[in-house]
């Protein structure tokens, strides 16, 4: 057992990640209602020997914190008026040999009706699968058991993904903040 797994075990959490390891994927994580989602997801993924990247405002990449953020997989998000963030990430997928990017389609820890579709655009244009992750606080378990291949019909893709997550409302740390 590695360091990450030990922390999970000591806190009573378990991991059920059965999707295959991919050199490249988008890891969709929902419900996202707490900053603990990031911590538990990071611990779980690392506990099975995998590394995922995540997007974070460039603001957090200052000395000396930037070294920790990058070591954990952080990708600083820069405001670029000439290129969208989605386009930048698609280019990153094309340039890198390995990139598993964790994203939260809700884009906020607050209850939101409209999910963002950038993760679908990224996965479709980078030709990578979407692995569907759940941080289940009610059962103290991190799950990634399903994979979704985007069709390019974002409305239909989003409907299918939200349908999958609709069964996990009670998994959220704060279920009242999750709208599937």
């Amino acid at each position: 057992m590695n360091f990450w797994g030990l922390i999970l075990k000591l806190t009573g959490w378990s991991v059920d990640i059965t999707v295959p390891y991919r050199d490249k994927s988008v890891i969709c994580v929902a419900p996202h209602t707490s900053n603990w989602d990031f911590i538990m997801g990071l611990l779980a993924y690392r506990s099975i020997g995998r590394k995922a990247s995540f997007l974070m405002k460039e603001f957090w990449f200052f000395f000396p914190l930037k070294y920790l953020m990058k070591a954990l997989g952080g990708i600083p998000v820069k405001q670029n008026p000439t290129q969208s963030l989605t386009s930048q990430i698609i280019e990153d997928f094309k340039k890198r040999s390995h990139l598993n990017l964790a994203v939260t389609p809700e884009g906020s820890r607050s209850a939101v009706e409209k999910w963002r579709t950038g993760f679908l655009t990224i996965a479709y244009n980078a030709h990578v699968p979407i692995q569907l992750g759940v941080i289940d606080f009610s059962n103290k378990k991190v799950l990634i058991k399903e994979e979704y291949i985007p069709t390019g019909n974002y409305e239909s893709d989003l409907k299918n993904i939200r349908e999958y997550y609709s069964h996990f409302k009670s998994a959220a740390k704060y279920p009242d903040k999750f709208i599937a």
Side-chain angles (χ1 to χ4, degrees), residues 5-18:
L6 179 62
I7 292 173
L8 285 172
K9 184 177 180 179
L10 291 173
T11 57
W13 280 73
S14 64
V15 177
D16 187 2
I17 299 177
T18 57

Side-chain angles (χ1 to χ4, degrees), residues 32-149:
H32 177 48
T33 64
S34 165
N35 284 330
W36 283 103
D37 301 336
F38 167 75
I39 295 165
M40 302 316 295
L42 175 71
L43 288 170
Y45 214 63
R46 290 288 181 101
S47 77
I48 63 167
R50 297 182 186 182
K51 184 177 178 184
S53 294
F54 57 92
L55 302 174
M56 187 172 269
K57 291 179 186 172
E58 186 179 37
F59 167 83
W60 292 104
F61 289 80
F62 59 84
F63 179 83
L65 192 58
K66 69 180 176 181
Y67 298 107
L68 174 63
M69 289 299 173
K70 287 187 177 188
L72 292 174
I75 298 173
V77 174
K78 302 171 187 161
Q79 295 264 335
N80 183 345
T82 62
Q83 186 181 27
S84 74
L85 177 60
T86 303
S87 297
Q88 291 174 46
I89 300 302
I90 292 167
E91 287 304 312
D92 271 359
F93 268 101
K94 291 177 180 176
K95 291 176 188 172
R96 297 183 188 207
S97 60
H98 292 80
L99 179 57
N100 291 282
L101 180 66
V103 297
T104 56
E106 296 153 282
S108 171
R109 292 174 307 278
S110 302
V112 293
E113 290 279 341
K114 185 175 180 180
W115 285 15
R116 298 179 180 201
T117 58
F119 76 104
L120 290 167
T121 305
I122 292 165
Y124 180 74
N125 288 292
H127 310 289
V128 300
I130 300 170
Q131 297 186 337
L132 304 176
V134 177
I135 314 297
D136 184 348
F137 284 88
S138 62
N139 295 302
K140 289 188 151 187
K141 185 179 279 192
V142 177
L143 311 161
I144 307 177
K145 299 173 67 90
E146 299 292 329
E147 207 168 60
Y148 186 86
I149 305 300

